[in-house]
Amino acid sequence: MSPTMAAWDEALVMMVDDEEMLLDVIQSHLEDAGYTRFATCTEPEAALDLIRSNRPDVLLLDLMMPRVSGFDILHAVRSDTELQFTPIIVLTAASDPVTKLKALELGATEFLSKPVDASELVLRVRNTLAFKRYQDRLAYEDTATGLPNRPGFIRSLDEALPKLLARHTTTALMHLTCGQFGLARETLGSRAADSLLRQAGQRLQTLHSEKADRGLGNSLSDGPRIGRIGDQDFALIFPNLLHAEDAAALCKDMLATFDAPFEADGHAIFLNPSIGVALTPGDGQRAEALLNCANVACAKAISGTSKSRFEFFSESLTTRSKERLTISNQLRKAIDHGELRLHYQPKVCLQTGRITGAEALIRWQHPEHGLWLPGKFIGVAEETGLIGPMGDWVAQEAAAQAARWYGQGLGPLKIAINASRPQFEDGLLAQRMQELLHRNKLPAEWLIIELTESLLVEDAARALQQMHDLRNLGLGLAIDDFGTGYSSLSYLKRFPASELKIDRSFIIDLPVHDKDRAIVQTVITLGHSLGMEVVAEGIETIDQMSVLQHMGCDVFQGFLFSKAVPPDDFEALLRSDAARSLVMSTQQATPEPEPVTPA
Ligand code: C2E
Ligand code: MG
Ligand code: MG
């Protein structure tokens, strides 16, 4: 039952009668009259549950039924707080006034005699619906704006929530309030204030429809979208959000629709609303609870000192989502403004001390906050799709730098690029890399693509094809963060990777933990037996390096030798003897550690 009811021919007509034949007859009469939505029930025992789940706009109820009588159902409906206003037309063969009186006392809305006359039936149903519609409007619609009022909004939201919650996405409830509505009422009068409210409602509705067209909130064709829930308050519902940041972005858009002035009584009036946001499922799963949270958040937004004028109910979400929203906006510009940098972390051969290459790691020279590491912005880039253009920039920048070193006669070097999920998922990575090599006139052996183990395992079949395509170009391929992604041995055997990078988590306690040593030794042996070069990540101490050397690990990368550094500094390291001295120092000084048995 919709609060502001649908057109009469869309009304849901429910019929309860133990005679199936009669139900068919009634339905066909009503169909002839244009009605399309029906629910029927021939088991009186099940009627109440069905009424509850269907919420009919009108109920046709037979009085004389076996086991549970129509009187019982009538009584139960009228005693149920949620169903009590359902219009009920009682069908009865009984013409005796006692029966009719009893039905009236129990709250019947109308009577219809059996056998049913078609025109009388249609007339009664239509009148009842018209009256119900009028009642609904009074009860659930705001006359100033034509939007659902607070009870109407709550009612339809509560009806929609079970469906929304079942989707496991986030639904945002925004409470928007604006003190100037009250002020306008005091200074310009009710007519002007109502006009302002109407205009504000229209702007919000337009925004909501635009967002719905773009996939936000469009899944509530019959559900609540926007309501006027108080003298100076609106509520909006946006279902199907993936992140709190989406809600933050919507708040900004809502506030922006109020930038232009409104017109009332010949005055241009600027409104300056505040918004509070509650999110399902965390902040509540019923309309009242969500409205309360959004209201509290709104009060925070009004009293807060922040310029943004919106707040989440959850404190941590407010901070996080605002920060992430800012980051995503700034990151968009960072690519064009040349604020991204690639730093190069040397990879060193554990036997010879030669620098074999480097991993290109992205940094953001943030105009306000200095140099940012990827942990601060890669997540946002992935969520906002910016990872695509960012990844393209990284690949091009690394290839161009590699080509410069190649041109200078340095190396041979292998420059590793981290590929992200979207870059890998669109299936065009090999094609893009081919163009890149060609454009930069760079031999394919100079580049390695690093793919994390978890990325490979998720869609192994597709990953395999792409890996072969990349390898066929002559590029190196590394399995990054190995040991964290649960790949099985059978996968590993099939992946045409050239390099296996042991995750730092296995390296940290290597010198002291037998288990880690056993695992790392096994991985090294395994990698070698599959023809891969084994690289250890995150070496910070001489002890770690020494253990790896003795285990036969091929290459290391870590702060012990160098962090990721700008290209010029990397070049300086290349030209120096520092890596060789470091590696040689342990080869001479440290005794071989105790052998371990592979796990
Ligand atoms: P990763 O690919 O596993 O890169 C290695 C990370 O370990 C780097 O962190 C590096 O600075 C850090 N690291 C290296 N040696 C040591 C050490 O001895 N001790 C410690 N504590 N850390 C060490 P960074 O640069 O912060 O990058 C983190 C992650 O961000 C990378 O992990 C990679 O997954 C991602 N990333 C970095 N650059 C890019 C990029 O251009 N594209 C993509 N898609 N992801 C990137
Ligand atoms: Mg990496
Ligand atoms: Mg790694």
Side-chain angles (χ1 to χ4, degrees):
M1 186 158 40
S2 45
T4 43
M5 219 179 57
W8 64 267
D9 51 352
E10 284 172 23
L12 177 65
V13 182
M14 183 165 168
M15 301 170 281
V16 182
D17 199 314
D18 55 317
E19 288 175 69
E20 213 168 327
M21 267 265 290
L22 190 77
L23 293 182
D24 290 344
V25 172
I26 293 179
Q27 180 162 338
S28 86
H29 287 328
L30 289 174
E31 275 171 351
D32 288 346
Y35 291 87
T36 52
R37 298 178 60 222
F38 300 94
T40 52
C41 172
T42 49
E43 302 289 334
E45 299 91 329
L48 207 60
D49 283 344
L50 273 174
I51 297 169
R52 249 187 220 114
S53 56
N54 280 295
R55 298 293 187 97
D57 292 302
V58 59
L59 177 69
L60 299 178
L61 177 66
D62 186 23
L63 281 186
M64 300 306 164
M65 291 182 292
R67 301 180 299 276
V68 178
S69 82
F71 291 113
D72 300 333
I73 295 173
L74 194 54
H75 177 69
V77 170
R78 291 294 177 240
S79 321
D80 184 309
T81 47
E82 295 203 354
L83 304 177
Q84 59 180 332
F85 299 116
T86 312
I88 301 178
I89 301 177
V90 163
L91 297 171
T92 173
S95 52
D96 65 304
V98 180
T99 308
K100 285 198 171 175
L101 197 65
K102 188 172 171 199
L104 257 184
E105 276 170 1
L106 286 173
T109 319
E110 265 286 7
F111 291 94
L112 199 60
S113 319
K114 285 185 183 180
V116 170
D117 172 74
S119 51
E120 197 184 347
L121 166 75
V122 171
L123 192 76
R124 290 276 149 82
V125 168
R126 186 174 297 182
N127 283 349
T128 307
L129 285 173
F131 181 65
K132 160 130 195 322
R133 193 170 186 174
Y134 174 70
Q135 255 187 336
D136 278 349
R137 278 187 78 146
L138 286 184
Y140 298 121
E141 204 176 283
D142 167 48
T143 42
T145 60
L147 295 170
N149 61 11
R150 189 180 176 92
F153 187 80
I154 290 179
R155 189 169 155 132
S156 58
L157 179 55
D158 268 334
E159 270 171 36
L161 273 169
K163 267 190 264 168
L164 293 174
L165 290 166
R167 285 187 197 147
H168 302 297
T169 53
T170 292
T171 294
L173 170 70
M174 277 82 157
H175 178 159
L176 178 145
T177 193
C178 185
Q180 284 125 318
F181 290 130
L183 208 63
R185 198 172 296 282
E186 283 166 25
T187 52
L188 302 175
S190 288
R191 232 168 47 109
D194 283 353
S195 155
L196 273 183
L197 280 163
R198 204 161 31 248
Q199 293 173 55
Q202 275 158 1
R203 282 196 199 176
L204 291 171
Q205 261 180 310
T206 308
L207 174 92
H208 198 289
S209 314
E210 280 168 14
K211 297 295 171 190
D213 288 345
R214 283 193 270 133
L216 290 169
N218 62 345
S219 49
L220 270 183
S221 53
D222 56 347
R225 290 158 181 270
I226 165 168
R228 181 182 166 203
I229 56 162
D231 277 352
Q232 37 200 29
D233 312 82
F234 291 93
L236 286 92
I237 285 289
F238 288 96
N240 281 348
L241 306 184
L242 292 178
H243 308 284
E245 293 83 76
D246 296 341
L250 285 166
C251 287
K252 287 211 150 182
D253 292 345
M254 278 162 67
L255 292 170
T257 61
F258 283 77
D259 282 349
F262 292 80
E263 204 270 340
D265 237 10
H267 300 276
I269 294 177
F270 285 91
L271 297 179
N272 195 21
S274 304
I275 304 175
V277 187
L279 299 176
T280 67
D283 295 341
Q285 312 207 357
R286 300 278 300 170
E288 287 279 10
L290 287 166
L291 276 170
N292 281 342
C293 293
N295 189 20
V296 170
C298 196
K300 263 197 298 184
I302 295 169
S303 62
T305 47
S306 115
K307 280 188 302 189
S308 60
R309 292 169 20 231
F310 68 87
E311 293 286 338
F312 284 81
F313 177 68
S314 149
E315 201 88 45
S316 57
L317 272 183
T318 301
T319 322
R320 218 196 69 200
S321 66
K322 280 185 186 171
E323 190 184 274
R324 287 169 86 83
L325 185 67
T326 313
I327 292 177
S328 79
N329 287 339
Q330 293 176 340
L331 187 57
R332 232 171 269 278
K333 297 186 201 125
I335 304 177
D336 296 336
H337 292 184
E339 291 165 15
L340 299 182
R341 307 272 180 274
L342 272 191
H343 283 186
Y344 296 84
Q345 185 176 37
K347 291 162 85 173
V348 179
C349 171
L350 276 162
Q351 309 306 320
T352 64
R354 201 172 57 81
I355 294 179
T356 60
E359 177 171 7
L361 293 160
I362 193 163
R363 267 79 185 115
W364 177 2
Q365 189 62 53
H366 194 283
E368 295 156 43
H369 305 295
L371 195 71
W372 268 2
L373 295 178
K376 191 90 179 155
F377 60 93
I378 286 261
V380 179
E382 282 175 350
E383 284 162 17
T384 51
L386 287 170
I387 193 80
M390 207 181 87
D392 290 344
W393 179 86
V394 168
Q396 167 53 35
E397 182 64 21
Q401 182 58 64
R404 282 194 285 277
W405 285 328
Y406 173 61
Q408 290 167 26
L410 292 170
L413 295 169
K414 287 185 185 300
I415 305 301
I417 301 170
N418 290 283
S420 66
R421 185 177 304 275
Q423 280 173 296
F424 190 62
E425 271 175 350
D426 72 5
L428 300 172
L429 189 55
Q431 190 185 322
R432 283 198 300 267
M433 292 313 296
Q434 189 172 22
E435 287 162 10
L436 200 72
L437 292 170
H438 185 254
R439 195 162 57 237
N440 291 283
K441 301 190 179 57
L442 180 71
E445 313 80 69
W446 270 65
L447 288 187
I448 299 182
I449 307 292
E450 293 196 2
L451 298 164
T452 59
E453 189 192 10
S454 45
L455 201 159
L456 294 173
V457 176
E458 266 169 35
D459 186 358
R462 212 151 61 121
L464 263 178
Q465 182 54 50
Q466 291 224 63
M467 291 177 90
H468 280 291
D469 292 347
L470 289 167
R471 290 294 278 151
N472 288 340
L473 285 177
L475 292 164
L477 209 55
I479 301 180
D480 202 358
D481 306 341
F482 184 72
T484 59
Y486 309 106
S487 62
S488 74
L489 280 182
S490 63
Y491 278 149
L492 199 60
K493 197 177 72 184
R494 287 155 61 206
F495 287 148
S498 51
E499 190 176 298
L500 197 60
K501 297 189 81 173
I502 306 175
D503 191 67
R504 191 172 91 88
S505 52
F506 298 99
I507 306 294
I508 298 173
D509 293 327
L510 195 60
V512 289
H513 270 184
D514 282 355
K515 269 197 182 153
D516 282 348
R517 279 164 65 183
I519 290 171
V520 170
Q521 181 66 75
T522 307
V523 173
I524 293 170
T525 311
L526 182 75
H528 285 164
S529 70
L530 294 171
M532 299 185 208
E533 187 160 76
V534 180
V535 179
E537 295 188 277
I539 312 307
E540 294 183 349
T541 67
I542 291 275
D543 284 351
Q544 290 166 340
M545 182 176 80
S546 164
V547 174
L548 287 160
Q549 257 171 343
H550 286 107
M551 285 179 169
C553 183
D554 304 298
V555 172
F556 86 95
Q557 187 185 331
F559 294 172
L560 174 65
F561 177 58
S562 172
K563 294 189 173 187
V565 291
D568 288 351
D569 297 357
F570 176 71
E571 245 178 82
L573 287 171
L574 263 184
R575 296 181 199 278
S576 84
D577 211 24
R580 224 175 65 84
S581 315
L582 176 70
V583 169
M584 291 307 154
S585 70
T586 56
Q587 277 184 349
Q588 285 148 16
T590 12
E592 186 167 340
E594 292 288 298
V596 289
T597 334

